[in-house]
Amino acid sequence: MDAMTRSNDTFNDMSGVIAADRAHIWHHLAQHKPFETVDPRIIVEGKGLRVWDAKGKEHIDAVSGGVWTVNVGYGRESIAKAIYDQVLKMNFFGGAAGSVPGALFAEKLIAKMPGLSRVYYANSGSEANEKAFKMIRQISARHHGGKKYKILYRNRDYHGSTLATMSAGGQNERNAQYGPFAPGFVEVPHCMEYRKQWDVENYGLRAADAIEEVILREGPDTVGGLCLEPMTAGGGVITPPEGYWDRVQEICQKYNILLHIDEVVCGMGRTGTWMGYQNYGIKPDFVSLAKGVASGYAAISCMVTTEAVFDMFKDDPNDPLSYFRDISTFGGCTAGPAAALENMRILEDEDLLGNTLRMEKRLMGNLSNLMDKHRVIGDVRGKGLFCGAELVADRGTKEPADEKKVAAVVADCAAQGVLIGMTNRSLTGLNNTLTFAPPLIATGDDIDAITHAVDIALTKVFS
Ligand SMILES: Cc1ncc(COP(=O)(O)O)c(C=O)c1O
């Protein structure tokens, strides 16, 4: 790894860049009114898990590029070189043809995903999810007389920003004002035990049974797929309760429903296993991957499926409509798989999955200590290096903390030079969870620096 220092020549005069940004950029997920008086954040350089903004201010990045993507950290020369070498030789050819890094990365990926065997390349998490939706629809059309077309999704889960993935989106604030949505998507209840919907002993079983209730209500012969995050990420960092996943798997088998796991956030080591679902013994039919696949060095996403699903699309070569008639132009870019191959080598050679598990203990331990000190922390949850601290006004009633105050904690940490996140425009009244997802290279000292900043911010904002 390079030394974690920035170069000296980058920050000489950023005023032109800032002016161009203010004049022309429409930032993601941002209300722009404040930018009339405050400069937008522009990130100029990154090394390890530190980033520098246009004013030269250094930040520890506990959000892996804002949206949990840069798993192996910034400034990786070997990934830059892998991309350079590949694109010089062959940068792009449409995905109806193969590519050298495409084939080699698929082989390496599949070796980590027993039971799965086929990789379909695209370039965003939303798009990868839509590939699975389309396959489920086509399987319904070809094998179930078009009847088994419904796709279930879970309240609080998020699967992307396109209209089809928003139709499978369980976050009301993300969806508000963008309807009407596509028909054929049906919501099932979330499984978050901290905010119980049922007063029962075995919460995991009860929450999974709620999915079966929806299937029975809709008619099992109309439900083709169930799309779930292994651990709900942006919807509140929700770890599944004991017994939940075994029962979900049973239900899918019972009603012949294809199980689609959205690993866009949890995939590629984020939870300390290659895939989040591997923590729970799940056997998925579809797995979608994006963010950490190439750690943001190139745009790439993958929809991974089984040979059984693949075979269904070649069983009648005489039918011109029998195969998957889908294309993703930039799924043919070779920079993505070239970067992904090197990204995976780094994850393995540097034992970043092992580091993630070690640092999970440190992060969860530190957050639990903060919980002892700050009554505003109502719950601490997470897996690997994706953890959350839910802030509440009252521990007894679990009334969520004022969202503006939660945002003030995030802002104060940023002022201290530590970037943390919070659940953002997800569910009304429930944007109250601080989120922590540093690059998987984080050290114990980095984790301590992150939680120290949170300690100071909580004291300032809530006392
Ligand atoms: C769980 C999950 N699925 C899908 C997506 C969509 O990915 P993308 O923004 O690459 O389309 C996201 C994005 O945050 C996500 O968190």
Side-chain angles (χ1 to χ4, degrees):
M1 196 66 227
D2 300 329
M4 297 206 187
T5 49
R6 68 174 170 86
S7 51
N8 291 322
D9 56 350
T10 318
F11 302 89
N12 289 340
D13 184 9
M14 280 285 149
S15 55
V17 174
I18 294 170
D21 183 289
R22 288 180 77 155
H24 302 296
I25 297 299
W26 193 332
H27 288 249
H28 297 180
L29 267 182
Q31 165 56 262
H32 275 246
K33 193 74 185 159
F35 294 162
E36 288 173 8
T37 49
V38 181
D39 284 343
R41 177 183 288 151
I42 298 175
I43 302 295
V44 178
E45 193 169 337
K47 280 269 165 14
L49 93 173
R50 282 168 176 73
V51 294
W52 288 267
D53 66 23
K55 303 205 163 123
K57 183 176 166 67
E58 176 175 313
H59 299 267
I60 291 179
D61 177 7
V63 284
S64 293
V67 286
W68 327 313
T69 298
V70 190
N71 286 8
V72 300
Y74 300 96
R76 291 282 189 175
E77 273 188 44
S78 66
I79 301 184
K81 176 145 190 335
I83 295 170
Y84 174 87
D85 290 346
Q86 177 58 49
V87 299
L88 202 60
K89 194 164 186 184
M90 171 48 90
N91 63 312
F92 175 85
F93 203 91
S99 75
V100 174
L104 296 180
F105 176 63
E107 182 181 55
K108 205 164 164 64
L109 181 66
I110 288 301
K112 306 295 181 200
M113 303 175 80
L116 298 160
S117 61
R118 293 283 162 179
V119 179
Y120 193 96
Y121 286 119
N123 53 85
S124 72
S126 309
E127 207 192 347
N129 283 329
E130 287 217 28
K131 303 307 178 197
F133 296 168
K134 283 178 71 177
M135 287 179 186
I136 290 166
R137 289 281 168 87
Q138 201 174 343
I139 289 168
S140 164
R142 290 180 39 74
H143 298 278
H144 306 288
K147 215 175 158 200
K148 222 167 160 51
Y149 66 91
K150 289 181 192 164
I151 292 166
L152 307 185
Y153 64 93
R154 187 171 54 189
N155 180 241
R156 279 179 166 257
D157 278 9
Y158 175 77
H159 301 297
S161 58
T162 61
L163 278 170
T165 50
M166 294 195 97
S167 304
Q171 302 182 357
N172 71 311
E173 288 201 349
R174 276 293 160 95
N175 282 10
Q177 303 170 3
Y178 299 116
F181 295 105
F185 293 90
V186 182
E187 186 168 290
V188 302
H190 69 73
C191 66
M192 183 187 201
E193 201 162 4
Y194 180 66
R195 295 194 175 276
K196 277 181 190 244
Q197 298 162 91
W198 305 277
D199 197 14
V200 292
E201 218 163 81
N202 196 331
Y203 199 78
L205 277 191
R206 181 64 194 88
D209 284 344
I211 298 177
E212 185 171 29
E213 285 161 16
V214 173
I215 293 166
L216 292 172
R217 187 193 72 208
E218 296 291 322
D221 56 342
T222 70
V223 180
L226 170 64
C227 178
L228 300 172
E229 291 182 66
M231 166 175 111
T232 301
V237 194
I238 304 170
T239 44
E242 202 58 36
Y244 180 76
W245 276 111
D246 285 348
R247 183 82 186 104
V248 167
Q249 185 88 58
E250 257 175 48
I251 291 167
C252 286
Q253 277 158 5
K254 182 169 171 191
Y255 298 109
N256 187 23
I257 290 170
L258 294 165
L259 180 57
H260 168 184
I261 304 293
D262 177 344
E263 289 279 348
V264 168
V265 174
C266 295
M268 303 311 285
R270 174 59 57 198
T271 68
T273 47
W274 281 106
M275 304 296 148
Y277 73 80
Q278 291 167 347
N279 291 296
Y280 309 110
I282 307 167
K283 293 191 180 65
D285 299 290
F286 299 101
V287 175
S288 38
L289 291 164
K291 299 177 185 283
V293 173
S295 289
Y297 284 84
I300 176 172
S301 71
C302 308
M303 208 291 304
V304 187
T305 189
T306 62
E307 206 63 12
V309 166
F310 181 68
D311 281 346
M312 282 194 257
F313 291 84
K314 57 173 182 165
D315 59 353
D316 186 357
N318 297 320
D319 174 356
L321 299 186
S322 63
Y323 62 95
F324 191 47
R325 287 161 288 107
D326 180 270
I327 180 165
S328 166
T329 295
F330 291 131
C333 284
T334 57
L341 260 173
E342 180 57 15
N343 185 69
M344 206 158 170
R345 185 199 65 72
I346 291 169
L347 286 166
E348 277 187 316
D349 288 1
E350 296 183 11
D351 185 29
L352 295 186
L353 273 58
N355 188 57
T356 299
L357 291 175
R358 289 187 289 277
M359 290 305 118
E360 171 191 334
K361 285 206 187 81
R362 185 84 160 231
L363 181 54
M364 289 296 278
N366 287 4
L367 291 174
S368 298
N369 291 341
L370 288 183
M371 191 170 169
D372 292 340
K373 182 169 171 189
H374 297 275
R375 285 200 59 78
V376 71
I377 302 182
D379 193 29
V380 167
R381 325 178 264 271
K383 200 141 198 76
L385 281 175
F386 200 98
C387 300
E390 176 155 355
L391 304 189
V392 291
D394 181 309
R395 275 193 188 174
T397 63
K398 299 184 180 172
E399 182 193 332
D402 177 352
E403 193 177 316
K404 289 203 177 76
K405 287 191 169 177
V406 185
V409 172
V410 175
D412 189 79
C413 286
Q416 294 179 58
V418 174
L419 302 178
I420 65 165
M422 65 182 275
T423 43
N424 185 12
R425 295 276 73 81
S426 58
L427 293 116
T428 306
L430 289 167
N431 296 301
N432 63 321
T433 298
L434 300 176
T435 57
F436 306 91
L440 311 185
I441 55 170
T443 63
D445 285 349
D446 295 327
I447 300 289
D448 292 351
I450 293 163
T451 49
H452 180 64
V454 176
D455 186 11
I456 292 173
L458 287 174
T459 306
K460 264 194 231 165
V461 174
F462 286 99
S463 57

